Amino acid sequence: MKASRTSSLGLLALAAGVLTGWLASGDREAAVTSDPPALSTKTARQEMKSGLPASVQKLLAPVRAARTADERMRATLALAAAIPVDQLEQWLAAGWFGMRDSMESLVFERIVRDRWLENDPAGLIDYLIRSEDAALDTMIQRWAEGDPEAAFKVILSHRQKGDYLPMIWYLDVFLEEIPEVLADKLSELWRDAGAFEQPFFSRLLLRMAESNPEIVSARMNGWPDDLKMEARACFDTIALEKDFATTVLALVNEPDGRDRFSRAISDFSSGIDGLLDIAESLPPGWLEAAIRGRIMGFSTNDPARWLAADLSAVGLNEEDVRLVRSLSLNAWATQTPGEALRLLETNSLSADERRYLVEACFNRRNFQDQKDADDLLACLTDPEDIALANERLDTTFGVAIRTVDPQPAQVNSIPEWIASFTDDTRHADGNIATTWDASEAMEAAAAFQGLPAGEKGKIAANLIGQASDEIPHELAAAAYGHLLVDPSSGEGMTAEDVEKGISQFASGWGLRDPRAAGRWVASLPEGTARLWAAKNLAGRWAEYEPAAARAWISSLPAGDRGEVADYLDSGAAWKE
């Protein structure tokens, strides 16, 4: 079996280099992409009481004894590299490392999975399937890139046992690396594919026919009839792309030519304008079959030509003529609506087509803002057309036409920026706040506190709904403080929502500025929100500055001090 392309030793070196730089920079928060979840559930507290085997505690001791972030990360790397391969599953399944969602736990799990992938990929995949682990797709992809034949064999065996593995995500790797092996099993895969997967296998077969036509040709005669027909359609589609007219006229002479033509053209990626060039040479029903096969993908670069053509003369019935003209009008309205509206100045449209064209041109997707709509309205001269266009805008979009792909509102002051959060659309650009210095962040918090009482709740709820890295912590703290006192003022929020949010927020702020977070937590009203915020902050802070975290705990009110210290001493934060 080939070795994985990424060795565990190489990964360890890479992780050590990256993380040493991260630690040396003193910017630990830069590596954190989201706040960790709250620790305040009853289930979590019960799980924390469970003990660890003595041998595991011994291995974990250097990690837990580390006094700095640098020491802890180095101990984590050493531990992940030292665990015997036959124990890797136990460590992952039991969650012995703990520190869930910390940078250390992410690095630990990544290295452990990579070592397992290198030494026993089939065992790792089996474990990931059983545990429904989100890393499954990534691990299969990497294995397939390093040893595609072995990965393919294991995936097939799991599918045969009834384990669902989404083969479609890895097909391109197998097609590139082991096309003959894939072709040998394609009949089996096609047979077992569900309704969701089969279109992906059809596209795979088309790519295989393009890249390895000799392999498909050599095997297709042994395939079941429906797969054989699919393969033939792929070759026909490829031929259409190369020489549309010649291929169509050649199919005319085949006994099953019309069926093959209809099937091939449904996958034809180019526009079908070439049909007009040979329409008079097609047998009766062929043009109709082509149009019907492309209703959902009627791609034309020349809608005017289809509208000008005498479609009845080339064999289309009245219903099909209406269909093609409607599809052509829609294509023109989508491509160049201003140009399409010039048709209204001619007498070439029926009353229904005229109405359809106006409605299609004044589709929401054609506008970025109100000015675009006004410019298009200026192309109309007929009062009935103008009334229909305005009706289309007013009844379908209302004022929403002004907010299609909205641009951030322009604000000139911090209070104005805060006030822009009065509705759920939140047009203010959150990124503006990321440029503020400490004094501006405090000014924003003060501006929030000075808002009218009736507006505070909704603005607070909208502010904390922003991405956590777009709102200054001082401002988010002020918003949470208001909602803690009056949770009902935040529309749709409950007291439980607020308490959970505060718990998460305290932990996240602790990664960036634990001392500021500590001052804020200590200022909260007495209650469960303050207690769990303190526990979460202490647990997060102790990961990097245990002595400072202990000192802060000793400054807490007596009622919280003991519980927070007991929480830290119990190892509960580590289990999380």
Side-chain angles (χ1 to χ4, degrees):
M1 181 179 294
K2 298 179 184 177
S4 171
R5 289 184 180 176
T6 303
S7 70
S8 56
L9 292 178
L11 178 65
L12 285 172
L14 175 63
V18 172
L19 292 166
T20 298
W22 171 72
L23 294 164
S25 71
D27 188 19
R28 292 187 295 273
E29 63 270 26
V32 180
T33 56
S34 62
D35 290 344
L39 310 180
S40 54
T41 65
K42 181 178 179 182
T43 301
R45 295 197 296 273
Q46 291 173 340
E47 290 176 349
M48 293 169 189
K49 297 178 181 178
S50 62
L52 296 175
S55 60
V56 172
Q57 292 188 43
K58 183 177 180 179
L59 288 172
L60 281 170
V63 180
R64 292 187 171 183
R67 299 185 63 82
T68 67
D70 184 42
E71 289 179 6
R72 177 163 292 112
M73 188 58 73
R74 291 180 184 279
T76 298
L77 293 169
L79 172 62
I83 298 171
V85 173
D86 61 359
Q87 295 179 21
L88 295 176
E89 178 174 352
Q90 289 177 286
W91 278 80
L92 286 180
W96 284 338
F97 185 79
M99 296 172 61
R100 192 176 64 202
D101 295 320
S102 67
M103 178 58 65
E104 289 87 351
S105 71
L106 295 175
V107 171
F108 175 82
E109 291 177 5
R110 170 68 186 272
I111 294 175
V112 167
R113 282 196 299 262
D114 280 4
R115 289 186 60 215
W116 196 352
L117 179 65
E118 182 180 0
N119 289 277
D120 179 21
L124 172 64
I125 299 306
D126 182 68
Y127 165 75
L128 295 177
I129 292 172
R130 285 186 282 107
S131 59
E132 299 182 352
D133 195 298
L136 176 63
D137 283 350
T138 300
M139 292 294 103
I140 290 183
Q141 181 79 22
R142 291 181 55 201
W143 187 20
E145 291 170 353
D147 192 348
E149 194 161 352
F152 185 71
K153 192 176 299 183
V154 167
I155 289 175
L156 283 180
S157 68
H158 277 287
R159 287 174 67 100
Q160 290 163 354
K161 289 189 298 184
D163 295 330
Y164 177 70
L165 281 178
M167 173 80 75
I168 55 176
W169 309 132
Y170 324 117
L171 290 175
D172 285 336
V173 175
F174 297 133
L175 176 58
E176 180 180 349
E177 300 288 345
I178 50 170
E180 292 192 1
V181 175
L182 180 59
D184 287 339
K185 293 293 183 180
L186 197 60
S187 177
E188 177 183 333
L189 293 171
W190 177 266
R191 182 197 64 211
D192 296 336
F196 170 70
E197 283 190 318
Q198 202 156 56
F200 289 90
F201 282 110
S202 296
R203 286 193 282 277
L204 168 77
L205 186 56
L206 179 58
R207 292 198 297 274
M208 185 183 289
E210 290 171 332
S211 60
N212 301 98
E214 69 288 347
I215 293 178
V216 177
S217 297
R219 286 164 174 77
M220 61 185 289
N221 288 333
W223 287 345
D225 289 343
D226 57 344
L227 183 56
K228 190 187 304 180
M229 289 174 60
E230 192 73 25
R232 187 179 293 115
C234 289
F235 284 125
D236 290 338
T237 299
I238 294 169
L240 285 174
E241 297 280 2
K242 290 180 178 178
D243 189 336
F244 186 85
T246 301
T247 300
V248 174
L249 295 177
L251 287 173
V252 167
N253 298 317
E254 296 290 332
D256 57 349
R258 175 173 165 176
D259 290 339
R260 287 173 58 185
F261 175 58
S262 300
R263 192 176 187 123
I265 203 167
S266 65
D267 290 325
F268 185 51
S269 61
S270 303
I272 59 173
D273 295 333
L275 281 171
L276 287 176
D277 296 327
I278 58 172
E280 295 181 357
S281 303
L282 293 176
W286 278 55
L287 184 59
E288 176 188 355
I291 297 299
R292 290 286 175 179
R294 291 299 299 265
I295 289 176
M296 298 303 293
F298 186 88
S299 54
T300 172
N301 296 318
D302 194 357
R305 187 180 175 202
W306 284 92
L307 290 167
D310 186 352
L311 299 175
S312 299
V314 292
L316 292 188
N317 59 35
E318 186 176 344
E319 180 182 352
D320 288 326
V321 169
R322 283 199 302 268
L323 173 64
V324 171
R325 288 181 64 82
S326 295
L327 293 171
S328 300
L329 287 170
N330 185 69
W332 204 345
T334 301
Q335 294 165 12
T336 52
E339 182 180 320
L341 287 177
R342 294 176 187 167
L343 282 173
L344 299 175
E345 302 170 7
T346 70
N347 295 319
S348 61
L349 302 180
S350 68
D352 287 341
E353 288 175 342
R354 189 181 187 93
R355 182 179 183 86
Y356 179 83
L357 177 61
V358 172
E359 290 181 342
C361 286
F362 285 86
N363 187 297
R364 180 172 187 161
R365 66 183 177 228
N366 288 337
F367 309 115
Q368 293 296 318
D369 52 34
Q370 185 67 39
K371 182 179 181 303
D372 285 347
D374 291 341
D375 289 346
L376 200 59
L377 280 168
C379 297
L380 301 177
T381 57
D382 185 281
E384 290 187 8
D385 295 334
I386 295 172
L388 177 59
N390 278 311
E391 178 186 347
R392 174 76 166 165
L393 294 175
D394 293 340
T395 61
T396 304
F397 307 114
V399 297
I401 185 61
R402 301 179 185 274
T403 60
V404 176
D405 296 330
Q407 299 298 312
Q410 296 299 311
V411 293
N412 300 309
S413 67
I414 288 176
E416 185 180 343
W417 185 86
I418 298 291
S420 69
F421 284 80
T422 52
D423 62 66
D424 293 328
T425 57
R426 296 199 291 275
H427 289 176
D429 183 1
N431 290 323
I432 292 174
T434 64
T435 66
W436 292 347
D437 58 23
S439 63
E440 289 171 315
M442 294 303 297
E443 181 185 344
F448 172 81
Q449 298 292 13
L451 289 170
E455 296 179 9
K456 263 188 175 180
K458 186 161 189 176
I459 289 180
N462 285 341
L463 281 169
I464 64 175
Q466 286 286 102
S468 60
D469 60 350
E470 292 185 353
I471 300 297
H473 286 88
E474 294 82 359
L475 176 56
Y480 273 120
H482 171 78
L483 292 172
L484 181 60
V485 175
D486 186 10
S488 62
S489 66
E491 294 183 8
M493 300 194 73
T494 65
E496 184 179 353
D497 293 333
V498 175
E499 289 188 4
K500 183 178 180 181
I502 286 174
S503 188
Q504 294 174 327
F505 174 66
S507 178
W509 197 358
L511 284 168
R512 295 158 175 80
D513 189 347
R515 289 167 179 79
R519 290 191 294 271
W520 174 69
V521 170
S523 73
L524 294 174
E526 181 180 1
T528 56
R530 185 178 75 183
L531 177 60
W532 275 105
K535 289 181 177 181
N536 285 354
L537 173 57
R540 185 62 73 191
W541 195 349
E543 292 179 11
Y544 302 100
E545 296 180 311
R550 294 283 182 182
W552 175 74
I553 292 172
S554 67
S555 71
L556 292 173
D560 292 347
R561 189 186 312 148
E563 286 201 49
V564 176
D566 289 345
Y567 173 81
L568 206 59
D569 291 338
S570 70
W574 291 91
K575 285 295 291 181
E576 285 295 316

